[in-house]
Amino acid sequence: MMALPGGRHLDSVTLPGKRLHLMQVDSVQRWMEDLKLMTECECMCVLQAKPISLEEDAQGDLILAGGPGPGDPLQLLLKRGWVISTELRRIGQKLAQDRWARVHSMSVRLTCHARSMVSEYSAVSRNSSKEMDQIEKLLMEKCSELSAVTERCLQVENEHVLKSMKACVSETLSTLGQHFGQLLELALTREVQALVRKIDASDNIYTTESTTGNLFSLTQEGAPLCRIIAKEGGVVALFKVCRQDSFRCLYPQALRTLASICCVEEGVHQLEKVDGVLCLADILTDDSHSEATRAEAAAVVAQVTSPHLPVTQHLSSFLESMEEIVTALVKLCQEASSGEVFLLASAALANITFFDTMACEMLLQLNAIRVLLEACSDKQRVDTPYTRDQIVTILANMSVLEQCASDIIQENGVQLIMGMLSEKPRSGTPAEVAACERVQQKAAVTLARLSRDPDVAREAVRLSCMSRLIELCRSPSERNSSDAVLVACLAMGIQLQVKKTKISALLLWFLFWHIQGCSA
């Protein structure tokens, strides 16, 4: 017996003609059954916007595979939003190429997707606001206008007329995009508000876990959603979870979500308002918390002290708790059981050294140099260029202190830092290559700063540091083709020369090779 769609079977010895006929009938029946699950506008999308075409990009038309599950407005909004955003971008590209046939067919399809989003969201969401209804109306009007004007453009042959119509299409497309963005933001805001209220009101661990997981998934959609979550009280609700002992097992998940939200300034502002830094300090200094919980708290600290966020310079509450946070992070680095935990703790320390110069003095008193350099020989904790990037960042910022040099020499640090000048990517991915460049550059900067101390300079020369510098300057492949690494190596060579370490001939050689390479 041969199985057919729909659960029916057909004898394998059936005559070919009859067999083909039965299969066709069954396929039609199955198609008609599937139609029950589709909306009318989806059928319109297929009928009007999917012409048979030999264009090379016709295979790239967007369709939703499967679609979001029933009663899942968030996934519906995200999937439809991604499709419509992509269609808008592609229509703009085709418009710039004057490919009017494609512009029109894609405009029709865009209208279908927008109608689907509006109708499907209305079916699963609560009563919409007047503002949403108004924007929905404006959006659909602009979609109809775009389809109509692009259809007229297909009939125009006069280039001057077509040029003026192109400007009209471009303006309509821009306005449509604005209305779509406003509608999507309003809808997502409503769903985020519902999630935040659910977390805030829940005393059930399973409900809170599920809702926090949904909120975390939203943070992975990008900065705009993180801003919405912060604005609608997500940070406040999550810190409320982190202050309840009954939810201790949910701390890692809540903290991970907080770290994602705090990638935007709005998140950091909200953290400051609810004394979030004090809560993080309590978690980090409490050994009764699991290592995973303290590692996630370190991740939040790393995020809110990021030098890429200017707002972090105004975290007054952080200065009050900085000493105990730094102490706890050094301890976490020392006791880390995995590379991930060490990475999060060292990243937090690295950012703190940018945040305030007092942190470097604290690290020196806590013997952080010994902890970090010992970790470099532990493959379980330090096994990627990303982790070495954090370590060398801390050492580079600490190297401005005069007393740092003696600790570096005592812990055999010069040799370890020199080893970082040979950092090479394993996978060749852009992110890993960039990390290796940063490691090399910061290693050279650290050695240049430390070489103010004659003992460090002599140790560097004894370890054939100049040979490596010459190699880095002469060979772009050795420095991952980075000009930043080249400049740092030149600065280090000059610093060694200033210390009169009798290497002027070698310095002239690598300067000569650099100049020769640039002129070539």
Side-chain angles (χ1 to χ4, degrees):
M1 299 292 285
M2 179 177 178
L4 291 176
R8 287 171 286 276
H9 294 80
L10 186 66
D11 196 326
S12 59
V13 297
T14 307
L15 293 175
K18 182 180 178 182
R19 179 179 176 181
L20 178 61
H21 173 70
L22 288 176
M23 289 183 67
Q24 289 174 333
V25 171
D26 189 77
S27 298
V28 172
Q29 290 175 345
R30 179 61 182 271
W31 173 64
M32 292 183 69
E33 290 174 2
D34 290 344
L35 280 179
K36 298 175 183 178
L37 305 176
M38 300 179 183
T39 61
E40 181 181 354
C41 50
E42 286 294 341
C43 300
M44 291 286 291
C45 178
V46 173
L47 292 173
Q48 295 186 29
K50 298 284 287 183
I52 297 175
S53 173
L54 296 178
E55 293 190 49
E56 70 280 358
D57 60 344
Q59 300 299 320
D61 292 339
L62 295 168
I63 57 174
L64 280 178
D72 190 356
L74 268 175
Q75 287 303 311
L76 186 152
L77 289 170
L78 293 174
K79 289 184 177 182
R80 287 290 183 190
W82 177 81
V83 170
I84 293 174
S85 298
T86 305
E87 289 286 8
L88 284 168
R89 176 178 55 81
R90 292 177 60 190
I91 291 174
Q93 293 173 348
K94 302 306 175 187
L95 181 62
Q97 299 169 2
D98 294 329
R99 298 175 64 178
W100 292 104
R102 291 293 292 159
V103 168
H104 175 60
S105 65
M106 294 171 72
S107 298
V108 173
R109 186 167 62 247
L110 175 67
T111 302
C112 295
H113 283 307
R115 188 180 292 117
S116 291
M117 186 183 80
V118 170
S119 62
E120 291 171 3
Y121 183 66
S122 298
V124 298
S125 67
R126 294 159 292 279
N127 295 331
S128 62
S129 63
K130 291 183 179 180
E131 185 179 8
M132 283 189 67
D133 291 338
Q134 183 180 4
I135 296 177
E136 285 176 6
K137 183 179 178 181
L138 291 172
L139 174 64
M140 297 316 303
E141 287 176 355
K142 281 298 175 183
C143 284
S144 300
E145 181 182 332
L146 182 66
S147 297
V149 71
T150 54
E151 185 176 12
R152 289 198 301 271
C153 289
L154 292 175
Q155 314 301 325
V156 176
E157 296 182 358
N158 188 302
E159 291 187 6
H160 294 290
V161 176
L162 201 58
K163 186 175 182 180
S164 63
M165 294 184 73
K166 182 177 180 179
C168 178
V169 172
S170 180
E171 183 179 351
T172 303
L173 191 64
S174 176
T175 306
L176 192 157
Q178 292 174 7
H179 291 327
F180 166 69
Q182 292 170 349
L183 179 62
L184 188 61
E185 183 176 355
L186 280 173
L188 287 170
T189 297
R190 289 183 61 196
E191 298 306 318
V192 167
Q193 287 172 343
L195 286 176
V196 171
R197 284 196 299 268
K198 198 171 182 179
I199 293 174
D200 197 45
S202 175
D203 56 1
N204 183 286
I205 192 169
Y206 301 107
T207 301
T208 305
E209 180 181 21
S210 173
T211 311
T212 304
N214 290 337
L215 206 60
F216 175 75
S217 297
L218 283 181
T219 64
Q220 304 308 295
E221 298 296 329
L225 265 169
C226 290
R227 292 189 181 95
I228 292 175
I229 294 171
K231 180 182 175 183
E232 299 305 325
V235 173
V236 178
L238 289 168
F239 269 113
K240 182 179 178 181
V241 171
C242 291
R243 287 185 167 109
Q244 297 183 57
D245 285 340
S246 58
F247 287 150
R248 273 203 168 207
C249 62
L250 301 183
Y251 284 9
Q253 185 185 48
L255 290 166
R256 192 178 307 120
T257 307
L258 280 167
S260 297
I261 299 172
C262 290
C263 71
V264 296
E265 292 186 21
E266 293 82 354
V268 180
H269 281 305
Q270 292 298 316
L271 179 142
E272 176 81 348
K273 288 181 180 179
V274 297
D275 291 330
V277 173
L278 183 61
C279 180
L280 294 173
D282 290 341
I283 292 173
L284 283 168
T285 55
D286 187 351
D287 290 338
S288 67
H289 286 296
S290 66
E291 183 185 66
T293 298
R294 286 179 285 138
E296 295 297 345
V300 182
V301 173
Q303 190 64 69
V304 300
T305 55
S306 170
H308 302 295
L309 288 175
V311 69
T312 59
Q313 298 302 318
H314 305 289
L315 275 175
S316 56
S317 61
F318 188 85
L319 293 175
E320 299 171 5
S321 305
M322 186 168 66
E323 184 173 0
E324 56 185 352
I325 289 176
V326 168
T327 303
L329 289 172
V330 171
K331 182 180 179 182
L332 189 58
C333 285
Q334 190 172 18
E335 299 175 352
S337 63
S338 68
E340 183 181 2
V341 173
F342 186 92
L343 175 62
L344 294 173
S346 59
L349 286 174
N351 285 349
I352 292 173
T353 59
F354 285 110
F355 182 79
D356 192 273
T357 53
M358 286 193 305
C360 294
E361 297 176 0
M362 292 179 187
L363 287 171
L364 202 61
Q365 296 171 1
L366 293 167
N367 294 321
I369 290 177
R370 178 179 57 79
V371 172
L372 295 173
L373 294 179
E374 283 181 355
C376 288
S377 58
D378 183 358
K379 297 299 181 183
Q380 187 175 355
R381 287 185 291 168
V382 181
D383 58 347
T384 69
Y386 307 106
T387 309
R388 282 185 282 275
D389 181 21
Q390 307 308 321
I391 292 174
V392 76
T393 298
I394 298 169
L395 295 177
N397 288 337
M398 290 183 67
S399 62
V400 298
L401 303 175
E402 292 184 3
Q403 57 268 44
C404 178
S406 60
D407 286 10
I408 292 284
I409 293 177
Q410 184 178 348
E411 299 297 334
N412 197 27
V414 176
Q415 186 171 357
L416 283 170
I417 297 171
M418 277 187 57
M420 294 180 183
L421 291 174
S422 301
E423 191 74 31
K424 288 287 185 180
R426 297 176 186 173
S427 64
T429 60
E432 189 173 4
V433 170
C436 290
E437 291 176 14
R438 293 193 299 271
V439 170
Q440 287 184 314
Q441 179 192 8
K442 293 171 185 176
V445 169
T446 304
L447 289 171
R449 290 176 177 175
L450 293 172
S451 294
R452 294 171 310 195
D453 187 303
D455 292 335
V456 175
R458 280 192 291 270
E459 179 70 4
V461 174
R462 186 185 70 81
L463 294 170
S464 303
C465 181
M466 286 307 303
S467 298
R468 181 57 184 159
L469 289 178
I470 294 171
E471 192 175 15
L472 287 166
C473 291
R474 290 176 58 181
S475 175
S477 62
E478 287 295 318
R479 61 175 187 270
N480 298 298
S481 301
S482 170
D483 289 339
V485 175
L486 174 61
V487 172
C489 290
L490 289 170
M492 181 184 172
I494 293 171
Q495 180 65 40
L496 289 174
Q497 166 63 11
V498 168
K499 288 301 174 185
K500 301 186 184 302
T501 51
K502 299 180 180 181
I503 53 161
S504 56
L506 287 174
L507 179 61
L508 290 174
W509 266 109
F510 80 77
L511 284 172
F512 168 77
W513 279 108
H514 168 54
I515 295 170
Q516 187 182 56
C518 290
S519 62

